[in-house]
Amino acid sequence: SNTKISNKLIINQHQNMSSENATKRATSIGWHFVILMSRQGKIRLSEFFSSYTESEKRRILRDISSDILPRQPKMCNIIEKGDFKFVYRRYASLYFVVGVPIHANELLVLEEIHLFVEALDGYFNSVCELDLVFSLHKSLSILFEMFVGGMLTESNKREVLKNIIEAEGLVEELGKAGEDVGSQLDDGLSYQEQFQLGRKPGRRGDRNNARA
């Protein structure tokens, strides 16, 4: 009996939390998330700026695979999904899919996606799927340089690339000074991003203590 009551309380808390998150997303502005997916349904980059449960994230990825990938090139680039909508553009073999509030300006979102792609092209010299596979952290760095909390904060491609190159130069200098470059990069990434890169999450201080 106590177990049933406890389970009901947990379910109610989960439902209330999901409802609160949905309300916040509905009244927010900017991107909720951005997903880069290949034609084969492989996730090449995913970043959620708004709060989603793991089950909600899995549902979003399933919806992208089922609703967007089969669509013909001349079909509409906007799909409404309840309290948000997908806005996407296809570049070669990659789909750039963004989730935005239902009231967002779709043309503006499409232009923001194109700005992101231009920044990637500028860094990788015509970005391709393999660039995202082998240099995911670079793509995330460009994304975070342009977008903060889902809001576009820097639209100047040259300024974005300049800041990325300066950051790389700083990391290189630290590496020459005998620092652990990999851990320096890890310190700037979330646990999810470190998992995406195939790294074991942990800060530099933790590793140094472990070595000691």
Side-chain angles (χ1 to χ4, degrees):
S1 178
N2 290 335
T3 303
K4 290 182 179 179
I5 293 174
S6 177
N7 289 338
K8 287 182 179 179
L9 289 174
I10 293 173
I11 292 172
N12 288 335
Q13 290 175 352
H14 179 75
Q15 290 175 341
N16 291 335
M17 187 179 298
S18 297
S19 178
E20 290 176 3
N21 291 338
T23 302
K24 290 179 181 178
R25 293 195 297 265
T27 57
S28 67
I29 56 177
W31 293 6
H32 290 331
F33 55 83
V34 56
I35 310 292
L36 272 59
M37 184 178 287
S38 70
R39 286 182 297 178
Q40 292 75 32
K42 300 291 186 181
I43 306 299
R44 297 312 183 192
L45 181 150
S46 68
E47 182 62 32
F48 288 82
F49 298 104
S50 298
S51 180
Y52 285 90
T53 64
E54 290 303 315
S55 61
E56 288 174 329
K57 291 178 181 179
R58 288 193 294 270
R59 190 194 69 225
I60 287 171
L61 296 179
R62 286 196 303 269
D63 287 346
I64 292 175
S65 296
S66 60
D67 296 346
I68 295 180
L69 297 188
R71 293 171 72 84
Q72 298 300 315
K74 293 185 179 180
M75 297 180 73
C76 180
N77 293 51
I78 303 150
I79 302 176
E80 294 188 0
K81 301 292 291 187
D83 63 338
F84 72 93
K85 55 190 171 186
F86 290 135
V87 180
Y88 72 93
R89 296 186 74 161
R90 178 180 170 182
Y91 294 85
S93 63
L94 283 172
Y95 287 85
F96 288 69
V97 185
V98 172
V100 294
I102 202 71
H103 56 76
N105 184 324
E106 300 92 346
L107 296 179
L108 181 60
V109 176
L110 288 170
E111 184 61 26
E112 289 174 343
I113 294 173
H114 190 65
L115 287 173
F116 179 43
V117 174
E118 284 188 329
L120 291 174
D121 276 341
Y123 182 86
F124 291 108
N125 191 20
S126 187
V127 66
C128 67
E129 191 173 342
L130 288 178
D131 293 322
L132 300 178
V133 173
F134 294 109
S135 301
L136 177 61
H137 61 294
K138 300 295 186 184
S139 305
L140 288 169
S141 296
I142 294 170
L143 176 67
F144 297 148
E145 189 67 37
M146 297 181 67
F147 294 87
V148 176
M151 292 291 297
L152 180 64
T153 57
E154 181 56 76
S155 60
N156 188 321
K157 179 180 69 175
R158 292 182 180 178
E159 191 67 25
V160 170
L161 298 180
K162 173 188 172 184
N163 293 338
I164 295 295
I165 292 172
E166 287 179 354
E168 289 178 346
L170 179 60
V171 171
E172 186 177 349
E173 288 179 10
L174 291 173
K176 290 178 180 178
E179 294 285 345
D180 184 348
V181 178
S183 60
Q184 289 288 338
L185 290 173
D186 286 350
D187 284 349
L189 300 176
S190 69
Y191 275 11
Q192 178 188 357
E193 291 150 7
Q194 291 182 47
F195 275 124
Q196 288 179 320
L197 292 171
R199 296 175 182 162
K200 183 178 180 181
R203 296 184 63 83
R204 182 174 68 259
D206 298 335
R207 282 193 286 270
N208 289 341
N209 292 336
R211 290 171 184 168

